Amino acid sequence: LKTIDYFFPLYLYPNTDTQNPGNPKKRSLGAMAMLFEPSGEYTARKPNLNPVIVEQLAMDFGKSPTPEEIFYYIYAILYSNTYRTMYAEFLKIDFPRIPFTKDYGLFRRMAEYGQRLVELHLLNAPELDPPVAKCQGNGDFKVEKPKYFEDEGFVYFNPNQHFEGITKEVWEYQIGGYQVCDKWLKDRKGRTLSLEDIQHYCKIVTSIRKTIEIQKAIDEKGSER
């Protein structure tokens, strides 16, 4: 079975079980710990990063960045609209190449942006509360045909109920070629939204709003290099 999926864990957990070296389960994925395998036998871990790059960054910065800082920096770069535009054609055919800065202050700032983005996209960031969107109107909360009204910033999901606080920029925001706010509702056509669903959607809207703000800040900060 062919697939285009790729898995790049931040850490590798080698198999330290010397009692069962022939156990095929323990040899899975090059002796890496699987997500749902017991973790008792896996006591050592190492960053899944190129040591050459880590050493070069340590030399440039005068200190060793943590694997998490490097991950957050990369995440921020990949959400830079300037970067995406500049390398648009290349990104269609190959893995992204990450330009690392030699300025530790800039590196840390980008890593901070990246960490905020990660927390926003996992929907567990403190800045999601209070949400920028809310549900209004009386009805049965059943999703029919979403319709967006730009002037008001409303998206009606049935004739009597809508979400408000959704700017055009947020409504049109795409991931993977899909408008997130539109697709989420269309995927639930015919379904009655629960309170949890409504809260989740408001968090998504807020996450996108904050993401757009951070993307602009990343590009502004990057232009200072």
Side-chain angles (χ1 to χ4, degrees), residues 173-218:
Y173 193 87
Q174 295 188 10
I175 294 179
Y178 294 101
Q179 284 186 222
V180 180
C181 294
D182 186 39
K183 189 176 189 314
W184 192 94
L185 289 170
K186 285 181 176 177
D187 286 348
R188 287 156 181 78
K189 186 176 180 179
R191 171 174 162 178
T192 299
L193 298 180
S194 65
L195 176 60
E196 184 179 359
D197 291 330
I198 292 170
Q199 293 173 336
H200 187 79
Y201 188 77
C202 290
K203 280 188 175 184
I204 290 174
V205 172
T206 308
S207 175
I208 293 174
R209 172 87 167 267
K210 299 288 185 180
T211 293
I212 293 171
E213 292 173 359
I214 295 172
Q215 284 181 289
K216 292 176 181 178
I218 289 172

Side-chain angles (χ1 to χ4, degrees), residues 29-91:
L29 280 185
M32 281 196 303
M34 296 298 287
L35 182 59
F36 298 108
E37 285 186 52
S39 59
E41 297 92 345
Y42 301 95
T43 57
R45 72 177 187 176
K46 64 178 183 178
N48 187 26
L49 298 168
N50 187 332
V52 175
I53 294 177
V54 177
E55 291 173 9
Q56 184 62 55
L57 291 176
M59 290 177 59
D60 292 339
F61 300 153
K63 61 181 71 179
S64 297
T66 67
E68 286 76 14
E69 286 177 322
I70 295 173
F71 168 74
Y72 292 140
Y73 173 87
I74 292 172
Y75 203 89
I77 295 300
L78 294 179
Y79 265 86
S80 163
N81 287 319
T82 299
Y83 173 86
R84 291 179 173 186
T85 301
M86 184 178 298
Y87 298 105
E89 293 304 313
F90 179 82
L91 291 171

